Amino acid sequence: MKTIVLSLFFIISTLPLSLWAEEGSINVGQDGKSWVVKSRSSTYKVAVMEDNTVAMCYFGNNSYDDELITSAQGNEVTVRGGFTLQTPMVEVIFSDGVRDIELIYDRYEIIDLDGYPTLAIYQKDRYYPLSVVSYIKVIGDYDMMEKWVEVTNNSTSQGDDILIENLQSATFFLEKNQYELHHLSGEWTAEYKPYKTLLTQGVKTIQNKGFYSFGSSSFVIRPYGEQSDTEGEAWYGSLYYSGNWRVDFEKFASGSVQVTGGINFWDENYLLRPSKSFTSPKMLIGYTKEGSDGVATNLSSFTRDKLLNPSNREKVRPVLYNSWYATAFDVNEQQQLALAQRAKSLGVEVFVIDDGWFKGRVNDNAGLGDWTPDRIKFPNGLESMISKVNELGLDFGLWIEPEMVNPNSDLYREHPDWAIHYPNRTRELRRNQMVLNLAREDVYQYLYNSMSTLLRENNIKYIKWDMNRPLSNVGYLDAPEGESRSLRILYVENLYRLYKTLRAEFPDVWFECCAGGGGRVDLAMLSLADFTWASDNTDPVDRIFIQHSYLSSFPAMSMISWVTHEDHHHQNHSLEFKFDVAMAGVLGVGYDITQWSDEQMDIARAKIAEYKRYRPIVHHGDHYRLVSPYQENRSAVQYIDKESGESVIFLYNLAEYPVNSVKETLNSPKIKLRGLDVDAKYRFEGDDIAYSGRMLMDIGYDFGLRGAYKSGIYRVVKVAE
Ligand code: GLA
């Protein structure tokens, strides 16, 4: 159907047309030189100006009358050249040394990408053989768009290279106003701390310079003073990029703001040879009238429904056991099997051996790079261990950190130059390891062979792919000519290639993305992996904060959380509390369960059974963050299956509020639910009263949970009419 619409469209492309208006549309102006891109809440307008440049005219509320949007706010693709008033997306040096670009309009087309209408605007330099295509893909059903660019060197003469010094994925301008930026930054074990900052004249940049970021490129911009999380305007975005990225927010004297994001070209460039193209990663952007929570809903449901790796997207995630907290590097067949037996009796579905299983890995000083089982620890290889785990009825998984090497490894002794370094400079170690230069084809092949052999020769159904240090000393000395400063870009290309190749070859294997915890969580990784290890911090109270932030952008089915012995603040939490926290995502157990008493085993067994009952809603439902632990001494999150109307609410108290105490009377004990049908009736499990959806959402419900570090999980069902 869509193809017919498209071909018709090309025949009569000078008429104003609206494609797939329900799901987002692209309306072409009478003259064929302006485009209004609509999603559910937003309008985005682009137009060719009199001087033949392509302008970005408006992005925001779809109530704006389209025909009244006439003036340019900035260029659709900003460049270094002419007056340098905007943050440039494209900066190049032509082969004769000229560094200015002058882009003019060439043509456009509308194409169908993954079922979504996509506007492609072609521009070319007035003189040099450079062309730029800028794309806008309208993901109307999730109220968002993806933007990216492709640059091409159209010369055919050898040596007529164009050096890209900067190429950003997208830019957009906001009308003059006072704006606040909300973003997440963090560090190891304290990921995704939410920050809010006023944008004043100048540039605010969020970025990553070491491939390792415990924050996020996700951002939300709100008019200054907007307090409500659930209402009001919010512009948002996030990058599909796992290497170095940046997002710049430039506020001009006039009061307008330009947002630009993409690869961070700091200390990086890319040589575009004749007849070659380079495509930027995508940037997702959107606008909603439903505040930061509207952003969370759009981003997380899109990621859950469309982005996560399709091999496993429809499946509920398994309950895991991971032996890292129990045995660290000291692993052997007998002791792992003892853990697996206990794990099985709890209801666990996948048993994962973490670090320590491979050759020479007695501690973190040795072994990374040599991806064969340690013969001393596993004299019979892994096969015997795996078949015994399988006989128990469990799938088997392994930890691997492919991109790294310990100097104390066979790999490094054989190929010291495969590790990223400079001559005459310190070879910096972090956790006793260096980073392999994955930009190199031989390194790529080595890693592909190691990982595919491991997966082919063993019945492995789960890979935890870790990355435990940032880049340093980024030298690429024997690089092919012109590529020495492209290492980071080429590395990421090969990283994605490795993921994609392995996933295509082993489609029934689960992949967990880990980087010392949540050091590499972004939309690109989420499209390659099934889930991420959100943090190395498993203290339940810290985790409540980390999970609350994680859920501001990403879905619960991508967030692994384990129950472990960690108790950073010496609060001696109950096992029930720990389970209730970890059950709000993808549940794992990390204790030394061979030491558990019968009572602990019973609690865990009951909790895992309870989790399995709620799991389809937690994994495939929408979520609402009802109460933020950053605002109150408690936290609540609701998961809802929109079709059946069933909800599960996780509530955590972080302080003791005796009934009618001063503090309690300051904080309304009622919590308002969301996403219900106003006219329908709902019942809480264990409570006979039927409440209207309207009342539960407008007035709220007193969950009656009292006491610090107490938690409750509540099931709410829609009463049949
Ligand atoms: C990282 C991970 C941990 C664990 C260790 C193993 O820190 O985040 O979960 O796998 O490595 O060395």
Side-chain angles (χ1 to χ4, degrees):
M1 181 61 196
K2 276 172 189 159
T3 9
I4 298 167
V5 177
L6 268 178
S7 31
L8 265 178
F9 171 77
F10 285 120
I11 300 165
I12 46 174
S13 67
T14 48
L15 295 178
L17 267 187
S18 173
L19 293 186
W20 313 304
E22 302 263 311
E23 300 279 288
S25 60
I26 299 170
N27 299 333
V28 188
Q30 290 282 0
D31 57 357
K33 287 193 171 179
S34 67
W35 303 268
V36 176
V37 178
K38 295 251 185 217
S39 74
R40 212 166 51 228
S41 317
S42 70
T43 293
Y44 188 104
K45 185 160 181 179
V46 195
V48 180
M49 299 283 107
E50 267 175 19
D51 61 358
N52 240 0
T53 57
V54 180
M56 185 266 158
C57 303
Y58 177 75
F59 178 34
N61 195 316
N62 60 0
S63 306
Y64 215 123
D65 293 339
D66 300 345
E67 61 284 1
L68 297 182
I69 307 169
T70 48
S71 50
Q73 290 207 49
N75 291 106
E76 176 61 8
V77 177
T78 52
V79 296
R80 177 171 68 196
F83 294 103
T84 51
L85 299 178
Q86 307 165 355
T87 302
M89 280 176 64
V90 194
E91 295 174 83
V92 302
I93 307 180
F94 295 107
S95 54
D96 61 2
V98 167
R99 299 195 304 276
D100 263 24
I101 299 174
E102 287 183 40
L103 287 185
I104 49 167
Y105 176 68
D106 181 9
R107 65 192 171 92
Y108 82 98
E109 60 182 331
I110 297 178
I111 47 178
D112 176 347
L113 288 181
D114 314 315
Y116 290 113
T118 305
L119 173 65
I121 299 179
Y122 292 75
Q123 298 185 66
K124 57 184 183 198
D125 189 88
R126 281 183 197 277
Y127 176 84
Y128 290 96
L130 173 78
S131 60
V132 180
V133 193
S134 56
Y135 294 90
I136 305 177
K137 176 173 165 189
V138 200
I139 307 173
D141 44 352
Y142 294 86
D143 226 359
M144 49 178 69
M145 297 177 274
E146 282 172 351
K147 293 187 79 183
W148 70 100
V149 294
E150 184 185 9
V151 293
T152 303
N153 180 349
N154 296 306
S155 171
T156 44
S157 320
Q158 213 196 341
D160 198 5
D161 302 331
I162 299 176
L163 185 67
I164 301 174
E165 292 196 305
N166 179 25
L167 180 70
Q168 297 299 288
S169 303
T171 197
F172 63 87
F173 294 80
L174 299 180
E175 291 198 316
K176 65 180 174 191
N177 200 351
Q178 294 268 65
Y179 292 103
E180 267 177 353
L181 166 69
H182 301 220
H183 68 101
L184 303 170
S185 50
E187 55 191 317
W188 179 65
T189 68
E191 285 84 349
Y192 327 124
K193 287 183 277 187
Y195 288 94
K196 204 193 276 191
T197 178
L198 183 68
L199 292 174
T200 55
Q201 189 175 352
V203 184
K204 163 77 185 170
T205 300
I206 56 173
Q207 64 176 336
N208 168 12
K209 291 205 287 186
F211 271 29
Y212 204 49
S213 133
F214 296 93
S216 169
S217 66
S218 299
F219 62 86
V220 179
I221 299 171
R222 306 204 63 194
Y224 175 68
E226 284 275 13
Q227 297 296 339
S228 164
D229 284 339
T230 53
E231 285 170 7
E233 299 194 282
W235 288 262
Y236 59 96
S238 197
L239 287 165
Y240 290 81
Y241 203 59
S242 321
N244 287 351
W245 52 262
R246 66 183 292 156
V247 188
D248 295 298
F249 305 86
E250 178 158 15
K251 168 100 175 175
F252 301 105
S254 67
S256 64
V257 164
Q258 181 189 2
V259 181
T260 312
I263 294 176
N264 191 344
F265 270 78
W266 167 77
D267 189 34
E268 198 74 356
N269 61 29
Y270 191 93
L271 195 65
L272 200 59
R273 306 249 187 228
S275 309
K276 294 283 179 206
S277 297
F278 182 81
T279 305
S280 76
K282 290 176 179 157
M283 179 161 165
L284 190 142
I285 64 168
Y287 165 86
T288 171
K289 298 166 198 167
E290 289 164 17
S292 324
D293 271 21
V295 175
T297 303
N298 291 352
L299 276 176
S300 57
S301 37
F302 170 69
T303 306
R304 179 197 61 212
D305 300 343
K306 302 281 179 180
L307 199 64
L308 284 172
N309 198 281
S311 343
N312 290 328
R313 198 155 62 205
E314 307 295 326
K315 299 182 198 158
V316 290
R317 277 51 185 139
V319 177
L320 319 168
Y321 179 83
N322 180 301
S323 60
W324 173 245
Y325 280 89
T327 49
F329 299 102
D330 184 20
V331 296
N332 63 58
E333 182 173 324
Q334 208 185 356
Q335 146 245 57
Q336 293 299 306
L337 278 175
L339 287 165
Q341 263 154 7
R342 299 276 276 186
K344 174 64 189 173
S345 83
L346 294 177
V348 162
E349 293 154 330
V350 182
F351 180 82
V352 182
I353 301 187
D354 208 277
D355 203 344
W357 59 269
F358 46 95
K359 189 163 177 252
R361 187 68 165 173
V362 284
N363 52 36
D364 66 12
N365 210 6
L368 291 176
D370 299 342
W371 300 113
T372 51
D374 189 279
R375 281 280 160 190
I376 300 169
K377 295 178 183 182
F378 296 99
N380 311 317
L382 282 176
E383 306 93 273
S384 117
M385 155 103 213
I386 296 176
S387 58
K388 286 179 193 141
V389 169
N390 291 159
E391 275 161 29
L392 288 171
L394 291 168
D395 278 338
F396 180 82
L398 274 186
W399 176 96
I400 179 164
E401 196 180 1
E403 298 150 75
M404 300 292 156
V405 64
N406 284 123
N408 185 3
S409 65
D410 292 348
L411 181 68
Y412 188 84
R413 282 182 281 273
E414 213 173 307
H415 298 287
D417 287 350
W418 282 10
I420 295 174
H421 73 285
Y422 277 116
N424 314 317
R425 300 289 95 190
T426 310
R427 293 188 175 207
E428 298 282 0
L429 297 178
R430 181 73 64 85
R431 213 188 181 214
N432 308 310
Q433 64 199 53
M434 295 175 70
V435 185
L436 288 172
N437 184 356
L438 187 48
R440 295 173 61 119
E441 185 60 21
D442 45 11
V443 170
Y444 173 85
Q445 290 302 338
Y446 174 78
L447 294 184
Y448 167 71
N449 287 332
S450 310
M451 290 185 78
S452 59
T453 306
L454 203 58
L455 286 165
R456 212 170 292 121
E457 291 182 353
N458 300 284
N459 189 21
I460 294 170
K461 288 281 176 281
Y462 188 109
I463 286 287
K464 174 175 172 184
W465 184 321
D466 209 341
M467 193 279 250
N468 270 312
R469 61 154 287 177
L471 298 191
S472 64
N473 324 98
V474 188
Y476 184 0
L477 299 182
D478 43 358
E481 202 200 323
E483 290 184 13
S484 66
R485 282 186 87 175
S486 310
L487 183 151
R488 297 174 182 90
I489 291 171
L490 300 171
Y491 179 122
V492 174
E493 280 177 7
N494 269 343
L495 173 68
Y496 292 166
R497 176 178 158 213
L498 189 55
Y499 251 106
K500 283 182 190 156
T501 312
L502 291 169
R503 296 235 49 168
E505 209 170 321
F506 305 98
D508 58 344
V509 176
W510 294 97
F511 279 77
E512 169 182 345
C513 156
C514 174
R520 191 159 70 181
V521 181
D522 61 82
L523 294 175
M525 267 299 147
L526 285 170
S527 72
L528 297 165
D530 298 301
F531 23 51
T532 69
W533 176 231
S535 178
D536 269 355
N537 187 341
T538 55
D539 175 273
V541 172
D542 291 340
R543 199 79 186 194
I544 285 170
F545 287 82
I546 292 168
Q547 294 186 176
H548 179 82
S549 290
Y550 185 97
L551 294 175
S552 71
S553 307
F554 304 120
M557 75 190 289
S558 71
M559 178 179 80
I560 299 179
S561 203
W562 302 343
V563 177
T564 78
H565 62 263
E566 276 193 340
D567 181 10
H568 293 160
H569 315 292
H570 313 292
Q571 291 169 315
N572 197 22
H573 298 293
S574 70
L575 198 51
E576 286 90 342
F577 182 69
K578 293 179 174 188
F579 264 99
D580 285 356
V581 174
M583 282 159 65
V586 178
L587 176 64
V589 177
Y591 264 97
D592 182 354
I593 48 179
T594 56
Q595 302 302 312
W596 267 1
S597 65
D598 290 348
E599 193 199 344
Q600 285 170 307
M601 290 293 286
D602 288 344
I603 294 171
R605 203 171 287 123
K607 278 291 169 192
I608 291 173
E610 185 186 358
Y611 174 69
K612 286 181 181 170
R613 226 162 44 96
Y614 300 142
R615 173 166 64 173
I617 298 186
V618 173
H619 290 191
H620 285 108
D622 282 355
H623 70 255
Y624 296 106
R625 298 170 314 138
L626 302 177
V627 180
S628 162
Y630 286 95
Q631 282 162 11
E632 295 185 23
N633 268 326
R634 58 183 181 167
S635 178
V637 56
Q638 173 190 358
Y639 298 89
I640 180 165
D641 172 355
K642 282 280 167 61
E643 260 173 44
S644 68
E646 181 176 342
S647 288
V648 185
I649 295 128
F650 291 74
L651 175 60
Y652 312 108
N653 272 0
L654 300 177
E656 178 79 60
Y657 293 154
V659 181
N660 284 332
S661 65
V662 173
K663 194 75 180 162
E664 195 233 32
T665 53
L666 282 177
N667 291 285
S668 163
K670 287 206 171 91
I671 294 175
K672 293 176 182 169
L673 305 196
R674 301 197 45 214
L676 306 183
D677 180 350
V678 278
D679 297 320
K681 294 277 189 192
Y682 293 86
R683 195 167 269 142
F684 279 78
E685 201 168 59
D687 178 347
D688 289 340
I689 304 170
Y691 301 86
S692 68
R694 187 187 310 279
M695 176 172 159
L696 289 175
M697 291 198 292
D698 289 351
I699 294 173
Y701 183 79
D702 183 353
F703 286 83
L705 182 71
R706 299 283 180 268
Y709 311 117
K710 291 284 183 293
S711 52
I713 303 178
Y714 306 85
R715 178 163 172 258
V716 185
V717 291
K718 200 172 183 176
V719 180
E721 280 148 27

